[in-house]
């Protein structure tokens, strides 16, 4: 068996790929729900109701979607240039660390200055963290999948060390957590009394800015060219290594914004469970969106809805909430398969 490239499909057909992937995911998940002794229709209804059935549920879904938008954008940017950034989780935590360092009183600035300064510093930290694997890739040919993946564990251990040492809250009763950021460093809530904060607005703005960069700028064109064929791009005069460096800086900075928004907008302090895997889930979000920055917003809300709805469903239907992890993982596999089948046809020798 061999694969042959297909002509580029029409836009209408391309838009059907995520729909087909989601439909296949629901079918496969239905089999597992049946094995658990529940009705698939009832479970999916409860998931949908738990994700958007009330104002509280809808706002919780948008709150959970906020870091997923940032990590999804980070992955989409990197993957577009075939820079395989698997380390968004590490960049997220570094963004959280910088937010705590600067947001606990180190900078006596008013809120309208302090928040942008922390944002930029967090982005710089995440960008520099991904720059290392990018340099190793371009200079020495080191596989960035390995280096970025291992950085996730290194950074998590580094954060653990900080929370047991210099960043530990002396009033935290011994728990490994940092002090809370000052009021001037906190993102305000969109609706008072609810958890949704202005990090969601920043995420929407980031998606729009990334779309403009990808579609309307020279850098976006160069990133797409390098992603399609690095050798051809180099032959055409595009500085491939420089483009990969710029891609790494942008991708790492976007992922770090997820850590900033979680600490400054939602949690208020830094703990080891700041992220339940937002960096890894960002890969699913980006693939479901077919690496489209605006599509990332929709796919992030969809994935967040699954997680929020599954929590509510498990309490009613008796089906474990881990079904959400299965659904997200299956969605990734079916989406990758759909993209593969759309671009190649199988030929039997």
């Amino acid at each position: 068996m061999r694969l042959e490239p297909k002509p580029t499909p029409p836009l209408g057909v391309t838009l059907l790929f995520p729909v087909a992937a989601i439909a296949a995911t629901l079918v496969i998940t239905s089999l597992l729900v049946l094995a658990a002794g529940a009705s698939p229709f009832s479970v999916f209804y409860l998931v949908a109701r738990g994700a958007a059935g009330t104002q509280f549920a809808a706002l919780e879904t948008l709150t959970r979607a906020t870091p997923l938008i940032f990590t999804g954008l980070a992955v989409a940017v990197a993957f577009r240039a075939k820079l395989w950034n698997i380390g968004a989780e590490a960049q997220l935590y570094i963004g959280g660390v910088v937010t705590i360092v600067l947001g606990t009183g180190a900078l006596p600035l008013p809120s309208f200055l302090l928040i942008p300064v922390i944002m930029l510093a967090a982005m710089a930290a995440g960008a520099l963290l991904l720059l290392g694997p990018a340099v190793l890739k371009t200079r020495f040919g080191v596989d960035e999948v390995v280096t970025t993946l291992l950085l996730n564990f290194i950074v998590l251990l580094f954060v653990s060390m900080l929370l047991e040492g210099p960043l530990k809250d002396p009033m935290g009763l011994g728990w490994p957590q940092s002090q809370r950021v000052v009021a001037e460093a906190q993102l305000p809530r969109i609706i008072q009394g609810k958890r949704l904060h202005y990090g969601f607005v920043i995420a929407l703005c980031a998606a729009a800015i990334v779309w403009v960069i990808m579609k309307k700028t020279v850098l976006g064109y160069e990133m797409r060219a390098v992603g399609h064929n690095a050798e051809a791009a180099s032959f055409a005069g595009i500085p491939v290594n420089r483009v990969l460096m710029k891609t790494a800086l942008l991708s790492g900075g976007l992922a770090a914004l997820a850590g900033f928004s979680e600490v400054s907008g939602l949690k208020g302090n830094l703990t080891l469970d700041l992220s339940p895997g937002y960096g890894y889930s960002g890969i699913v979000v980006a693939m479901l969106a077919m690496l489209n920055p605006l599509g990332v917003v929709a796919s992030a809300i969809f994935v967040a809805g699954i997680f929020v709805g599954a929590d509510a469903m498990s309490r009613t239907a008796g089906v474990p909430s881990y079904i959400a992890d299965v659904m997200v993982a299956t969605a990734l596999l079916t989406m990758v398969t759909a993209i593969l089948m759309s671009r190649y046809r199988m030929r039997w020798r």
Side-chain angles (χ1 to χ4, degrees), residues 216-290:
K216 305 294 183 180
T217 68
V218 174
L219 175 60
Y221 172 79
E222 291 176 339
M223 290 167 60
R224 297 197 307 273
V226 171
H228 282 302
N229 192 318
E231 291 185 6
S234 178
F235 183 78
I238 295 176
V240 174
N241 288 351
R242 189 184 305 169
V243 171
L244 289 176
M245 296 297 180
K246 293 178 181 178
T247 302
L249 292 174
L250 180 57
S251 176
L254 287 167
L257 282 178
F260 159 77
S261 70
E262 285 296 283
V263 172
S264 182
L266 186 63
K267 306 287 188 180
N269 63 354
L270 179 64
T271 59
L272 278 178
D273 61 351
L274 176 68
S275 168
Y278 290 134
Y280 300 108
S281 298
I283 299 174
V284 182
V285 168
M287 294 305 297
L288 282 177
M290 300 187 68

Side-chain angles (χ1 to χ4, degrees), residues 24 32 40 57-58 64-65 69 92 113 129 166 190 204 210 235 244 258 261 295:
L32 298 176
R64 186 79 69 93
I69 294 175
L92 181 154
L113 289 178
L129 186 64
I190 295 177
L204 295 181
V210 171
F235 183 78
L244 289 176
S261 70

Side-chain angles (χ1 to χ4, degrees), residues 7-24:
T8 302
L11 178 61
V13 176
T14 302
L15 293 177
L16 290 177
F17 298 150
V19 177
I22 292 172

Side-chain angles (χ1 to χ4, degrees), residues 101-127:
V101 171
L102 299 181
T104 51
L107 297 176
L109 296 174
S111 183
F112 70 91
L113 289 178
L114 183 57
I115 289 177
V117 168
I118 295 176
M119 280 182 57
L120 293 175
M123 291 184 67

